[in-house]
Amino acid sequence: MPKDEANYGKLTSSQAQPFDRLSLARRLHETLAQNLAVIGYDLDALIGDETLNPSQRADLRSIRLQVMEVTKSFRDEIYRTRTLNRSEVASEIKSILSEITTNIDMSYPALSDESENLLNEVIIEIARNTRKHSSANSFYIKFELTDSGFLLLLGDDGSGAINFKKSATDHESFGLRGIDELLKVIASDYQCRSDKSGTHFRIAFPLQRAQ
């Protein structure tokens, strides 16, 4: 997958202190949201148990819907308390991946405020996974316009360590679960290819989200 051209610098010292507070709030949010996602995935696994009778399955589905509502309410509440613009997101990525080359173009079409905020969380979490697991030399973000919207393309040239199937049952894979959960909310479709060429996300946004 091709690399990108644009690059963003680090935060200036005058920006660092308020941004640190935003970063702390976001990490607290992500931890709690990921725990809720774990509960949701565990419920999904139980709902799929063939030994359940219809009444038990219906009860579990009701609980699952309640968890989804709590998660949405929590995200909405946190969203009202903090947002990051694209420049700040790019700066945090640069900080997270300070030891590798970053080629970032975040000039893709505008999303709704809520979708923009959730996508920022996804992008930052993907960058963290690159730092922790990929042994990559470079990380990129780019986009392509389509007839129906746009494609956001991002990833790295690392070892291909992402496994969403494993993350559905691995309680240590909170970050991957969070990525999956959010992309199912904000994107019309997404694909993740993780192999010897690295980890590459292809995320589709429909035209109505690209206004």
Side-chain angles (χ1 to χ4, degrees), residues 87-98:
S87 177
E88 290 170 331
V89 172
S91 295
E92 180 154 351
I93 292 170
K94 188 75 174 177
S95 177
I96 290 169
L97 302 176
S98 59

Side-chain angles (χ1 to χ4, degrees), residues 193-207:
R193 177 170 58 86
S194 195
D195 54 31
K196 292 181 179 180
S197 72
T199 296
H200 309 282
F201 284 83
R202 183 181 178 91
I203 309 168
F205 290 91
L207 191 61

Side-chain angles (χ1 to χ4, degrees), residues 1 3 100-101 129-140 154-162 193-200:
M1 188 173 289
K3 304 296 185 287
I100 71 174
T101 301
N129 274 283
T130 290
R131 181 193 65 194
K132 293 176 183 176
H133 306 299
S134 73
S135 302
N137 294 311
S138 64
F139 178 88
Y140 66 90
L154 66 159
D156 60 58
D157 63 352
S159 58
I162 283 189
R193 177 170 58 86
S194 195
D195 54 31
K196 292 181 179 180
S197 72
T199 296
H200 309 282

Side-chain angles (χ1 to χ4, degrees), residues 50 119 126:
E50 296 179 356
L119 177 59
I126 290 173

Side-chain angles (χ1 to χ4, degrees), residues 54-119:
S55 177
Q56 291 171 323
R57 183 170 286 107
D59 288 343
L60 286 171
R61 283 176 175 160
S62 177
I63 295 170
R64 176 58 165 133
L65 289 174
Q66 292 177 45
V67 171
M68 290 173 67
E69 285 299 316
V70 170
T71 302
K72 184 180 184 304
S73 296
F74 176 66
R75 289 193 185 282
D76 289 346
E77 187 65 28
I78 292 297
Y79 169 71
R80 286 192 287 269
T81 66
R82 59 104 179 106
T83 58
L84 297 177
N85 62 41
R86 292 184 184 182
S87 177
E88 290 170 331
V89 172
S91 295
E92 180 154 351
I93 292 170
K94 188 75 174 177
S95 177
I96 290 169
L97 302 176
S98 59
E99 297 182 359
I100 71 174
T101 301
T102 53
N103 297 292
I104 303 171
D105 180 358
M106 298 186 69
S107 61
Y108 45 83
L111 302 170
S112 70
D113 288 345
E114 182 178 8
S115 293
E116 184 90 12
N117 192 55
L118 296 180
L119 177 59

Side-chain angles (χ1 to χ4, degrees), residues 46-54 56-57:
L46 287 173
I47 291 169
D49 187 343
E50 296 179 356
T51 65
L52 289 178
N53 63 49
Q56 291 171 323
R57 183 170 286 107

